[in-house]
């Protein structure tokens, strides 16, 4: 049985919601391998893939809400204030009385890859429940966006399932960003949760290898074909600085080759991209225009330090689009 709608619900159906980790991010100031010696760090920056995503939805004027937990500490305040300021409904963020806010330490290697130390499962971020405010938010939502990283949180899967069935019962839609991190792969039952999400995704937003992990097959064309056969609606593949590709019905494909920018901090680009693509589609724009706007948000994001520092509002996005050179194919 397929559960897909194969359409992305319009804004009028209700807010875009997400479920998952809210974290502070603390970044190494120098590139190198991991955290085995004392070093300069900068932070806290508000972070967590679902939080970055939902903040970008709100900055573009989309109704947005998040189900998550923070601690009763400054790190929690940093996050709640940022989300609230940008227009996210924070009513379903619980405050844990006894666990600190989650965190991620990140250091870039010289080749651009990253090492993380996550404190999620045993922090406030690791205790997500279907609280009464979460139920209220779910009951009015029009779209659910799921980040694969949320499946590392025990109990998040139940909240996600509840959100998907509720939204589906009103004709709403679902998107999925696999967002696999090697540090998180050992925990939880990722494979079967991935399968459920693929069966549900009206929009799939993999980056790089995640396309093959999701499809269970190598090669871009076979992977896209396999996913579409399983009922996935739109597939938008993120390619870092090389832009992104849209794969739609009956072989329809758009390639966007990206913008030339000076990359300062790539963390958050994928979330800014996904949120902008989804919100543009929910606002009624077509896939080709949405792809370019999403790539602009991703490119804008990497020019600033901190995952949520460079999340453009509509005016900043339009200005970026009209002033920045596109990369040649
Ligand atoms: P994340 O690391 O946040 O999970 P991701 O791997 O999901 O990100 P990316 O492909 O890195 O996603 O970035 C998303 C989009 O942002 C890209 O498809 C591209 O359009 C844009 N982008 C990312 N990095 C750059 C860059 N250095 N220059 C220009 N555009 C970029
Ligand atoms: Mg990336």
């Amino acid at each position: 049985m397929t559960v897909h709608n194969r359409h992305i619900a319009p804004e009028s159906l209700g807010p875009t919601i997400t479920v998952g980790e809210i974290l502070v991010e603390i970044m190494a100031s120098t590139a190198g391998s991991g955290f085995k010696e004392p070093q300069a760090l900068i932070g806290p920056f508000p972070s967590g893939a679902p939080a970055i995503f939902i903040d970008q939805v709100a900055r573009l004027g989309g109704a947005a809400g998040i189900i998550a937990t923070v601690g009763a500490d400054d790190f929690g305040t940093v996050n709640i204030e940022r989300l609230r300021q940008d227009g996210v409904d924070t009513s379903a963020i619980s405050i844990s009385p006894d666990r600190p806010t989650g965190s991620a330490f990140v250091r870039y290697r010289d080749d651009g890859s990253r090492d993380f130390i996550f404190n999620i499962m045993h922090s406030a971020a690791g205790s997500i429940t279907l609280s009464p405010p979460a139920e209220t938010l779910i009951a009015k939502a029009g779209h659910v966006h799921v980040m694969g990283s949320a499946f590392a949180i025990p109990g998040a899967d139940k909240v996600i399932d509840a959100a998907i069935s509720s939204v589906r019962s009103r004709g709403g839609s679902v998107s999925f960003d696999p967002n696999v991190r090697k540090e998180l792969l050992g925990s939880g039952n990722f494979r079967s949760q991935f399968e459920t999400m693929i069966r549900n995704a009206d929009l799939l937003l993999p980056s790089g290898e995640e396309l093959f992990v999701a499809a269970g097959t190598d090669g871009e064309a076979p992977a896209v074909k396999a996913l579409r056969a399983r009922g996935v609606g739109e597939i938008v593949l993120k390619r870092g600085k090389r832009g992104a590709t849209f794969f739609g019905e009956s072989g329809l494909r758009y390639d966007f080759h990206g913008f030339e920018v000076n990359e300062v901090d790539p963390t958050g680009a994928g979330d800014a991209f996904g949120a902008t693509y989804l919100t543009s589609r929910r606002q009624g724009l077509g896939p080709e225009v949405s792809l370019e706007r999403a790539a602009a948000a991703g490119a804008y994001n990497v020019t600033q330090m901190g995952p949520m520092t460079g999340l453009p509002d509509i005016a900043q996005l339009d200005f970026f689009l009209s002033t920045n050179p596109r990369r040649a194919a």
Side-chain angles (χ1 to χ4, degrees):
M1 187 193 76
T2 177
V3 289
H4 299 80
N5 288 342
R6 288 195 171 216
H7 83 286
I8 295 170
E11 283 276 305
S12 57
L13 208 72
T16 295
I17 65 166
T18 192
V19 179
E21 71 280 10
I22 289 180
L23 310 172
V24 287
E25 185 169 309
I26 299 174
M27 300 170 66
S29 306
T30 56
S33 181
F35 293 96
K36 292 194 184 103
E37 65 285 330
Q39 56 190 279
L41 304 165
I42 177 167
F45 293 103
S47 191
I52 302 165
F53 179 95
I54 210 65
D55 199 65
Q56 178 69 84
V57 172
R59 285 191 60 79
L60 297 174
I66 184 167
I67 299 168
T69 308
V70 297
D73 52 30
D74 287 354
F75 289 171
T77 305
V78 161
N79 275 291
I80 291 179
E81 281 184 355
R82 165 58 59 91
L83 292 167
R84 193 176 285 150
Q85 248 169 39
D86 285 335
V88 175
D89 179 341
T90 58
S91 61
I93 300 179
S94 305
I95 299 184
S96 167
D98 55 2
R99 293 194 193 190
T101 299
S103 60
F105 287 75
V106 58
R107 189 177 193 193
Y108 288 93
R109 296 185 171 199
D110 289 324
D111 66 2
S113 66
R114 287 170 282 188
D115 289 311
F116 290 96
I117 296 177
F118 288 114
N119 174 27
I120 302 181
M121 253 93 82
H122 303 289
S123 74
S127 62
I128 291 182
T129 56
L130 201 52
S131 63
E135 283 178 332
T136 305
L137 181 64
I138 286 173
K140 61 184 178 192
H143 182 94
V144 185
H145 177 75
V146 178
M147 288 287 179
S149 51
F151 290 119
I153 302 171
D157 55 341
K158 289 192 187 64
V159 180
I160 289 167
D161 285 350
I164 292 175
S165 14
S166 171
V167 161
R168 281 267 182 256
S169 72
R170 293 185 295 280
S173 46
V174 175
S175 49
F176 180 49
D177 181 337
N179 207 42
V180 197
R181 298 272 182 266
K182 66 180 192 307
E183 286 84 351
L184 295 177
L185 269 177
S187 49
N189 190 2
F190 274 93
R191 192 65 246 177
S192 78
Q193 275 148 347
F194 260 56
E195 211 39 56
T196 308
M197 285 317 303
I198 284 157
R199 276 192 285 111
N200 273 288
D202 303 302
L203 167 64
L204 183 69
L205 291 153
S207 97
E209 300 276 302
E210 292 166 358
L211 177 70
F212 311 129
V213 177
T217 174
D218 276 350
E220 213 167 283
V224 167
K225 206 170 152 205
L227 287 166
R228 291 203 57 87
R230 274 144 78 194
V232 176
E234 301 183 7
I235 300 169
V236 181
L237 177 65
K238 294 169 277 179
R239 302 181 191 272
K241 66 174 193 271
R242 289 179 298 116
T245 301
F246 162 89
F247 301 94
E249 302 267 338
S250 29
L252 185 63
R253 166 181 182 145
Y254 301 115
D255 286 288
F256 184 75
H257 301 293
F259 292 91
E260 292 286 359
V261 294
N262 178 29
E263 182 177 298
V264 173
D265 170 21
T267 302
D271 311 323
F273 176 100
T276 303
Y277 184 82
L278 174 74
T279 303
S280 303
R281 297 287 286 128
R282 294 204 69 199
Q283 289 171 345
L285 300 175
E288 196 172 12
V289 177
S290 301
L291 186 70
E292 187 175 20
R293 292 182 78 74
Y300 183 90
N301 183 265
V302 306
T303 63
Q304 321 253 337
M305 178 75 96
M308 291 201 202
T309 315
L311 297 178
D313 63 18
I314 295 261
Q316 288 164 327
L317 190 64
D318 286 337
F319 183 74
F320 182 95
L321 279 155
S322 64
T323 50
N324 275 270
R326 275 75 172 156
R327 288 164 48 90

